[in-house]
Amino acid sequence: MTLAPRVTLTFDNGPDPDVTPQVLDLLRARSLKAWFFVLGKHVATPWGRSLVARTHAEGHRVGNHSYTHEVPLGLDARPDALAREVIATEALLDEVAQRPRCFRPFGGGGALGPHLLRPDVLRHLLDHGYTCALWNSVPRDWEDPIGWPARALDDCARTPHTVLVLHDIAGACLDGLARFLDGAAALGATFTLALPDACAPIVDGVARCDLAPFTAPLPDRNHP
Ligand SMILES: [Zn+2]
């Protein structure tokens, strides 16, 4: 048991017109700040744009989590995946609010590994001052919308600084979120927007560790 564990809340795959406002209301009522890693395909809609504006205005951090979220980038063989997934999403976010650039790769069920990035994406993140935000707790809220808080609280109790991946989409974290936050408060947790070193391999465009474990070779489109 770690005394006063630190917890960074992150919400991925939104915004969602029904769920995201409820998550924002809940966080506001408790004066908590979080990260929201959004999908370009949602930000491209009028409601998505206005939810990103609200999220930013309420003091949360908004980051890029790809446009379609269909294939982890290290497995995406399309030559224009960087432009279509990362750059297009960032352009939409820039229209709503200027903020530090942050990218969270899509892990496909939360797995960490070389499927997260590919060399052109990595180069882009470094050249454009991005922070790359990974994670160390995936309680699988999308599979278990009622039971996930117990796993998340267990991670928080055992880990000095937990970066928790939740999802502000239908059928995921919302029903358990108040219960989790109550439980974390009972553990004495401190909520922070900071990322521990192990979850931030790139900070403001500077590599902080060996990035090979998170980067696949460019897929060879001639030899699938
Ligand atoms: Zn995701």
Side-chain angles (χ1 to χ4, degrees):
M1 165 83 194
T2 306
L3 285 179
R6 304 179 83 199
V7 179
T8 301
L9 293 169
T10 70
F11 296 91
D12 288 6
N13 298 17
D16 176 274
D18 178 45
V19 175
T20 304
Q22 298 183 68
V23 170
L24 290 171
D25 289 348
L26 221 152
L27 295 177
R28 184 164 59 186
R30 295 168 185 246
S31 300
L32 295 176
K33 304 299 183 205
W35 287 88
F36 289 79
F37 292 100
V38 299
L39 301 185
K41 66 179 180 182
H42 299 322
V43 185
T45 66
W47 52 262
R49 186 185 167 93
S50 102
L51 280 169
V52 165
R54 177 182 165 189
T55 302
H56 179 74
E58 294 187 0
H60 304 289
R61 303 278 177 88
V62 179
N64 180 336
H65 189 42
S66 84
Y67 195 95
T68 66
H69 199 270
E70 286 174 356
V71 182
L73 283 168
L75 305 177
D76 191 334
R78 294 174 299 168
D80 59 353
L82 166 63
R84 293 168 73 106
E85 297 293 340
V86 179
I87 297 173
T89 300
E90 200 68 28
L92 289 166
L93 289 175
D94 283 348
E95 287 175 16
V96 183
Q98 290 298 318
R99 81 242 103 74
R101 294 187 190 283
C102 191
F103 182 74
R104 164 167 282 173
F106 164 38
L112 294 168
H115 61 287
L116 294 183
L117 299 171
R118 60 182 218 180
D120 58 338
V121 174
L122 176 58
R123 187 74 258 155
H124 183 82
L125 299 182
L126 293 169
D127 288 348
H128 294 268
Y130 278 84
T131 292
C132 181
L134 302 182
W135 54 87
N136 58 15
S137 175
V138 183
R140 303 185 83 83
D141 56 331
W142 71 94
E143 286 178 354
D144 187 4
I146 302 301
W148 70 265
R151 285 189 296 282
L153 289 167
D154 192 47
D155 285 348
C156 294
R158 289 186 294 103
T159 312
H161 188 166
T162 298
V163 179
L164 185 64
V165 176
L166 301 173
H167 296 84
D168 54 330
I169 59 172
C173 77
L174 182 61
D175 286 348
L177 187 56
R179 194 156 34 92
F180 166 76
L181 295 173
D182 290 343
L187 286 175
T190 303
F191 290 94
T192 175
L193 287 168
L195 298 168
D197 289 348
C199 295
I202 304 171
V203 176
D204 297 334
V206 177
R208 306 294 291 271
C209 66
D210 177 13
L211 296 164
F214 309 117
T215 312
L218 264 183
D220 184 342
R221 284 171 294 118
N222 297 319
H223 301 90

